[in-house]
Amino acid sequence: MTAQTKDPVKYSAAEWEQLQPALRSLSVSTISTAQQVLVEGRSAPDVAKELGCARQTVHAAVEAVKDHAREQGGVVEGDKPKAKRKKATKAAAKAK
């Protein structure tokens, strides 16, 4: 039995299907791995354990899918584009 992540599921099954054309340049493995986290709501550690890979590999797959979604004009609810996070981080570092 696997534990569910505490975060809400990021995409519904219908939203995931609509996103598929934007993900064509990603490997089947990357898409499948990210789907388990973003659609099924499984935790990255659980997916990594099942697949026999590092958690970082799972997180990288999720980020790759999110990046492709952003490039197509879609943003995961509650997610900020990386460019905005970097600027905020640099501003915070300068403030210290």
Side-chain angles (χ1 to χ4, degrees):
M1 182 163 50
T2 59
Q4 294 291 314
T5 181
K6 293 179 183 176
D7 294 330
V9 175
K10 307 288 186 194
Y11 292 101
S12 69
E15 290 169 332
W16 185 257
E17 285 303 314
Q18 291 176 348
L19 186 59
Q20 293 310 296
L23 304 180
R24 285 188 181 148
S25 64
L26 297 175
S27 72
V28 172
S29 174
T30 297
I31 295 168
S32 175
T33 300
Q35 181 179 11
Q36 292 182 57
V37 175
L38 295 172
V39 180
E40 297 171 16
R42 295 183 59 202
S43 71
D46 284 345
V47 173
K49 184 176 181 180
E50 181 180 304
L51 297 176
C53 65
R55 287 178 301 174
Q56 292 86 344
T57 303
V58 175
H59 287 293
V62 169
E63 287 303 311
V65 166
K66 286 181 179 181
D67 288 345
H68 277 71
R70 286 183 198 112
E71 289 172 7
Q72 298 301 314
V75 176
V76 176
E77 187 175 332
D79 191 28
K80 297 178 184 176
K82 285 187 175 183
K84 289 183 181 178
R85 277 191 244 160
K86 287 181 181 176
K87 288 180 183 175
T89 303
K90 288 179 182 177
K94 287 181 181 179
K96 290 181 180 180

